[in-house]
Amino acid sequence: MSSTESCTGHWGQADLYEQILSELSALSKPLHSLTVEDLAPMDHFHARGFPATVELADKLPASSEQCLLDIGCGVGGPARYLAQRFACRVTGIDITESFVETGNRLTALVGLETQVQIELGDGQRLPYADDQFDGAYSQHVTMNVADRAAFFAEACRVLKPGGFFALTEHGLGDTGNPCYPVPWSLDGSGSYLIPIDETRALLEENGFEAIQIEQTGARYLSGYRAAVAKAEAGTLPSFGVHLLMGESAVEQMRNAGRNIEEGRTCPIQLICRKRR
Ligand SMILES: C[S@@+](CC[C@H](N)C(=O)[O-])C[C@H]1O[C@@H](n2cnc3c(N)ncnc32)[C@H](O)[C@@H]1O
């Protein structure tokens, strides 16, 4: 199995859109007036969810009239939020077909089709022209990307000179040897974590500069602990990212926290720009 097949197999899910609608209906959310914020507990599929997207957005030099690219956009929560917040256009690309289909249907539900479009594709081979986008970002995707150099080179190629690139990921910590299952891999297959220094070096080698890296482990750890505590107390809201994570969701979150605590992983948020 190729790394691409193992990745789409890991994330893919049948009937996802119907499942989301059924959860929304259980919450008595009328679909005709659904907002980006109503979907936010479920569609920001990364550590700490929506608050982490808002914190990243606070730091982006994004503005209206821009065209942004969300690489590995999942079901599109961050793309819809940024499009609405900055009144810009966002193209999302994701390798998992069920996420692309669900993402476009959710975008239509909240009436953002003219600003957000989600397409099927691989971040290691982007189907876009050189110098096309004003900015790009990729949240919690690269843990599954085997050819990190190709992924960064492609992100750089499609950006205009000076365009920004933001990345969040779980890097490999000094202890190494992460415990599985985690949200991006049930048993270690398809998981390609690298240390922060290697990420920085690969970005520099592939055309980026002004790389600012922030370690986000402490914030993620408290987020995972809070989610696990709620799950154990039976108070985890039914509408949440665990809808996208399968049966071992709680164990995945517990391990994600443990990995950070024991220095097996080292999560980061990074912002840089394409060299002019
Ligand atoms: C944890 S989810 C994050 C989704 C989204 N970025 C978010 O924060 O809501 C990881 C996503 O990366 C996608 N992905 C993994 N490898 C990819 C690749 N090579 N190209 C495009 N998407 C990829 C998966 O299909 C999945 O949707």
Side-chain angles (χ1 to χ4, degrees), residues 7 11 43-46 70 72-74 78 93-96 99 121-124 139-141 144-145:
C7 178
W11 298 110
D43 64 4
H44 293 253
F45 192 11
H46 48 254
D70 182 336
C73 62
I93 184 162
D94 201 281
I95 207 165
T96 302
F99 284 0
D122 184 346
Q124 296 161 114
Q139 288 175 287
H140 280 60
V141 176
N144 287 122
V145 173

Side-chain angles (χ1 to χ4, degrees), residues 16 23 35 39 56 65 137 167 196 229 267:
L16 181 56
E23 291 295 340
T35 65
L39 293 175
L56 180 66
E65 309 302 321
Y137 60 96
L167 177 81
I196 300 177

Side-chain angles (χ1 to χ4, degrees), residues 41-103:
M42 175 281 303
D43 64 4
H44 293 253
F45 192 11
H46 48 254
R48 294 182 57 242
F50 187 39
T53 303
V54 174
E55 283 168 21
L56 180 66
D58 288 345
K59 299 198 167 160
L60 297 180
S63 59
S64 63
E65 309 302 321
Q66 285 188 338
C67 291
L68 308 185
L69 179 63
D70 182 336
I71 311 172
C73 62
V75 295
R80 286 183 287 275
Y81 170 71
L82 263 68
Q84 177 178 270
R85 171 169 169 170
F86 295 110
C88 63
R89 291 177 61 100
V90 183
T91 299
I93 184 162
D94 201 281
I95 207 165
T96 302
E97 204 165 352
S98 59
F99 284 0
V100 172
E101 192 209 323
T102 301

